[in-house]
Amino acid sequence: MNNTLSVARRQVLGEGRGLDQQQVLACLNLPDDAASDLLALAHEVRMRWCGPEVEVEGIVSVKTGGCPEDCHFCAQSGRFTSPVRSVWLDIDDLVASARATAATGATEFCIVAAVRGPDERLMSQVREGIAAIRATVSINVACSLGMLTPAQAAELAAMGVHRYNHNLETARSYFDRVVTTHTWQERHATCELVRSQGMELCCGAIIGLGETLEQRAELAAQLAALDPDEVPLNFLNPRPGTPLSEHPLVDGKEALKTIAAFRLALPRTVLRYAGGRELTLGDLGTRAGMLGGINAIIVGNYLTTLGRPAGSDIEMLTELKMPIKALSGTL
Ligand code: SF4
């Protein structure tokens, strides 16, 4: 067996210690004919340190589009010509969406807003929405509302927000190439705030923004250093009107190697398929990733792009004999 893989087997599978930056890079550089061994090892690691269960989550946007930030991959930025208009969702719709998500078997429901950070109007809507959901639907509530102040983080934790999503998006050394309106350090600071308030941290990445393999490995190491409970892995889906609209998709094999390498860097983390997987991997690739380190999915539609119908993902999990994780006792 390839030396990179035998070291990873001993260290990650045997001892539960994630790969470091150089070791992740070695995995990303493995030849394509070693990809199936890499994926098989990542699957063994996932089964050993996380188990066979798959965590299913639905997301809903309470405020879509019109964001003042300029993340070059995002159709919700108000600075580009992307055809996403600013829309606010009301509380009844929010509760209906939480109920529909729970009916798929999902255990997490994430309320998302396209903002730099929440203002008082958004905080009050979230306050009301969470109270309404918790009163009637049995599901964990997560939020993704941008950068937080310490007081906002404390309030969300007190409201019972189970998990907070704030992505690092890309490597620190590449970040200013794709975002100029805030810094990687600001994002990192919100992630630390979330942890300090005792909420679970969901901190994701977008692969394929033009970063090098070295920077991809850097990102894996920076994520591992934050020790997040969950990492949603997105692949760039180039959106019309954004600066990355003409950017090529990540090659499918490369995407699968990335999934496996991130699993080996983060043996105990929930590694979730997020946006762009349908386009980058297709159905066959999606299954390969589920057998290569992924242990969570987002069902239904993403924020501005269509996903697969929830039912077809649930069927795939049944075929793969992967049980849906039951709702934990954290409500
Ligand atoms: S990624 Fe978030 S912060 Fe950046 S433009 Fe999109 S909604 Fe705004």
Side-chain angles (χ1 to χ4, degrees):
M1 180 185 274
N2 179 296
N3 188 42
T4 300
L5 292 179
S6 26
V7 171
R9 173 169 290 280
R10 245 190 344 265
Q11 176 181 325
V12 191
L13 185 63
E15 301 164 25
R17 279 190 301 117
L19 297 187
D20 67 20
Q21 187 170 333
Q22 286 315 313
Q23 292 175 310
V24 171
L25 182 59
C27 288
L28 295 175
N29 275 320
L30 283 172
D32 281 355
D33 62 10
S36 55
D37 287 345
L38 174 66
L39 286 156
L41 175 60
H43 184 58
E44 277 188 80
V45 165
R46 168 266 173 117
M47 294 302 254
R48 165 103 195 251
W49 296 107
C50 301
E53 295 183 319
V54 175
E55 195 188 87
V56 176
E57 177 186 62
I59 54 180
V60 70
S61 177
V62 281
K63 191 253 168 189
T64 308
C67 180
E69 302 304 291
D70 77 343
C71 311
H72 291 14
F73 45 83
C74 182
Q76 303 210 60
S77 168
R79 295 170 183 253
F80 313 137
T81 56
S82 336
V84 176
R85 268 172 296 140
S86 187
V87 175
W88 286 79
L89 199 72
D90 68 24
I91 303 296
D92 289 347
D93 290 340
L94 192 60
V95 174
S97 184
R99 194 167 291 122
T101 299
T104 67
T107 56
E108 292 277 336
F109 179 67
C110 186
I111 300 171
V112 182
V115 289
R116 176 181 170 88
D119 58 11
E120 189 36 46
R121 175 183 177 193
L122 180 58
M123 281 302 281
S124 94
Q125 201 193 18
V126 166
R127 220 174 270 133
E128 212 185 312
I130 290 177
I133 292 168
R134 285 169 63 92
T136 55
V137 189
S138 201
I139 197 158
N140 283 318
V141 178
C143 284
S144 180
L145 312 172
M147 290 180 276
L148 299 176
T149 64
Q152 288 170 335
E155 187 182 353
L156 290 169
M159 281 181 221
V161 171
H162 165 250
R163 189 176 289 177
Y164 193 84
N165 163 262
H166 198 59
N167 292 346
L168 286 184
E169 312 290 22
T170 191
R172 181 175 180 161
S173 68
Y174 192 64
F175 191 84
D176 63 3
R177 298 282 305 278
V178 286
V179 183
T180 68
T181 46
H182 59 269
T183 63
W184 187 93
Q185 287 82 345
E186 286 179 280
R187 286 197 162 261
H188 191 264
T190 287
C191 294
E192 292 199 315
L193 209 48
V194 167
R195 297 306 300 269
S196 72
Q197 287 298 331
M199 288 181 279
E200 290 190 2
L201 173 64
C202 166
C203 183
I206 304 186
I207 305 300
L209 301 177
E211 75 284 357
T212 61
L213 292 187
E214 284 75 11
Q215 284 164 328
R216 235 169 253 178
E218 177 194 335
L219 171 60
Q222 286 162 345
L223 284 168
L226 273 171
D227 191 22
D229 299 278
E230 169 182 342
V231 170
L233 211 49
N234 297 274
F235 295 96
L236 178 71
N237 177 352
R239 306 309 301 152
T242 63
L244 294 180
S245 62
E246 302 295 325
H247 208 74
L249 294 178
V250 179
D251 164 75
K253 268 250 165 70
E254 195 179 314
L256 289 172
K257 281 197 268 181
T258 306
I259 289 169
F262 273 55
R263 166 54 70 205
L264 296 180
L266 298 151
R268 293 179 179 78
T269 302
V270 174
L271 191 60
R272 190 182 301 277
Y273 264 144
R277 65 149 154 139
E278 293 82 2
L279 208 59
T280 303
L281 293 169
D283 280 357
L284 273 181
T286 293
R287 293 172 72 94
M290 290 303 309
L291 295 166
I294 294 285
N295 68 333
I297 55 173
I298 292 175
V299 288
N301 294 335
Y302 303 118
L303 298 172
T304 61
T305 58
L306 294 177
R308 294 155 33 116
S312 63
D313 277 329
I314 305 295
E315 267 168 36
M316 171 182 73
L317 298 182
T318 311
E319 278 168 36
L320 292 170
K321 299 194 171 42
M322 292 182 185
I324 296 177
K325 185 181 168 199
L327 186 60
S328 64
T330 48
L331 275 180

